[in-house]
Amino acid sequence: MFDGNEAAWDMMESKLRDVHDVEVITYDFLNDFEGLMMPKKYYGRRVGPEDKTGGQICLEYMENSRMMNFHEKHTVEHVKQIARAIGKIQACSLKKEPTAPELMKDFFEEFMSTMTLEAYSGMFKGMLLLDNTKQTRDLMETIDKLVSDYYGSNFASTICQKLGFRPVLVNGDLRTENVLFDKDTGDLAALIDWQCTHLGVGVEDLHRIALFALTKSDRSASTPMLIEEMYDSLVENLDGAEPPYSLETLLLLSDLIFPHCAFFFAAGCAA
């Protein structure tokens, strides 16, 4: 893919260094809190500016767990457990102010800076290799018209600032393959892969896992309940700190941000 393209290799090297450092920083930040649905971090070392191979992270092995695969049918109860887990993690970021510059980056703008418009459009068109029916071809034409206007939007990253709400810690890559469940009980074991952590609106993570894990009908029917579960978990774990918004406001933010999340993440689903 990068054959002979030195600029692309340089970009990839820089991006891999960045995402590793973000993961180490995230675990360091959350290390002060107990009972989070994450592996324990035993050791972590960031990549130095001149050190291309020095980045290390040693995490707890999650015994008897399995990945929440994208191709399997999952239940609303599974996603409900995830909603409560991410609500608790969001509360941590309201009890302790994140200060690392790496967590302050505009996640969506960073993504667009590493992918051209043509490459982004191409991710959607990959669907045609699986389904070349007229309905799908028409859908791809509609998407093509939207992509050029929508590409580069950082609405999800700036909405808190624009509306005056305090942002919370967001995983940024909470798809099914980054969720582990206990093989025997089916209960949530851990949320993994914190390489895209950033500050934003908590429903980003909830929308993403729901898009990957639930059918359209289950997602539509359960979204208000899942948001309420996430919000209740956040409030329960604040220990007296102020929530950044009411449940009613979060439901409104969810409606505003869902099209952005769906559009942004649909390309990954197609791939």
Side-chain angles (χ1 to χ4, degrees):
M1 196 168 120
F2 288 168
D3 189 28
N5 189 339
E6 290 299 321
W9 278 114
D10 289 343
M11 179 273 292
M12 179 60 73
E13 179 187 314
S14 174
K15 181 54 65 177
L16 288 174
R17 180 187 295 116
D18 288 347
V19 297
H20 170 79
D21 287 354
V22 164
E23 183 154 40
V24 172
I25 289 164
T26 302
Y27 276 101
D28 286 344
F29 175 81
L30 293 170
N31 197 44
D32 292 342
F33 302 96
E34 298 288 337
L36 303 182
M37 300 304 295
M38 298 171 62
K40 294 175 184 174
K41 188 205 77 169
Y42 297 114
Y43 173 76
R45 178 183 170 192
R46 297 173 62 178
V47 184
E50 303 301 324
D51 185 2
K52 297 182 181 181
T53 59
Q56 301 166 11
I57 188 165
C58 177
L59 301 174
E60 172 188 13
Y61 176 66
M62 302 307 297
E63 197 73 44
N64 201 47
S65 65
R66 66 182 294 270
M67 192 166 66
M68 187 184 189
N69 291 303
F70 176 54
H71 60 267
E72 296 175 339
K73 180 176 171 59
H74 302 287
T75 67
V76 172
E77 183 57 37
H78 282 144
V79 181
K80 181 178 173 181
Q81 290 185 40
I82 297 168
R84 293 197 62 83
I86 60 180
K88 187 171 184 177
I89 290 168
Q90 291 164 24
C92 296
S93 64
L94 295 169
K95 293 189 287 187
K96 172 184 168 185
E97 187 77 33
T99 56
E102 290 84 356
L103 301 181
M104 308 294 176
K105 292 182 178 179
D106 188 325
F107 172 73
F108 292 94
E109 191 173 276
E110 288 268 317
F111 175 84
M112 297 303 178
S113 71
T114 62
M115 181 174 286
T116 65
L117 174 58
E118 292 73 24
Y120 188 63
S121 300
M123 289 177 74
F124 288 98
K125 291 171 184 171
M127 281 298 297
L128 293 171
L129 298 174
L130 302 173
D131 178 5
N132 198 29
T133 60
K134 182 179 185 306
Q135 183 181 12
T136 303
R137 291 198 303 273
D138 290 346
L139 176 62
M140 291 304 113
E141 285 184 18
T142 303
I143 288 174
D144 230 18
K145 294 171 185 173
L146 290 170
V147 166
S148 57
D149 288 334
Y150 205 86
Y151 179 83
S153 168
N154 64 351
F155 176 69
S157 299
T158 58
I159 187 172
C160 285
Q161 182 182 1
K162 288 175 179 176
L163 298 180
F165 298 117
R166 187 173 168 189
V168 297
L169 206 62
V170 176
N171 174 285
D173 196 20
L174 196 59
R175 51 194 170 85
T176 41
E177 282 67 26
N178 288 332
V179 178
L180 302 179
F181 276 89
D182 186 282
K183 288 180 181 178
D184 296 330
T185 66
D187 290 335
L188 178 63
L191 308 177
I192 62 171
D193 198 349
W194 292 85
Q195 299 173 4
C196 298
T197 313
H198 61 282
L199 294 177
V201 183
V203 286
E204 285 179 46
D205 280 342
L206 189 57
H207 283 323
R208 180 163 199 158
I209 191 62
L211 282 162
F212 272 80
L214 298 178
T215 63
K216 180 182 176 182
S217 56
D218 282 351
R219 188 175 68 246
S220 298
S222 64
T223 292
M225 178 275 291
L226 292 171
I227 293 171
E228 186 170 356
E229 287 287 338
M230 185 185 75
Y231 184 78
D232 286 349
S233 177
L234 179 146
V235 172
E236 289 165 13
N237 289 282
L238 281 177
D239 299 333
E242 279 292 314
Y245 26 63
S246 66
L247 174 59
E248 291 71 26
T249 300
L250 183 58
L251 289 165
L252 174 61
L253 289 172
S254 170
D255 287 343
L256 290 172
I257 214 169
F258 176 75
H260 181 101
C261 291
F263 192 82
F264 181 80
F265 298 135
C269 290

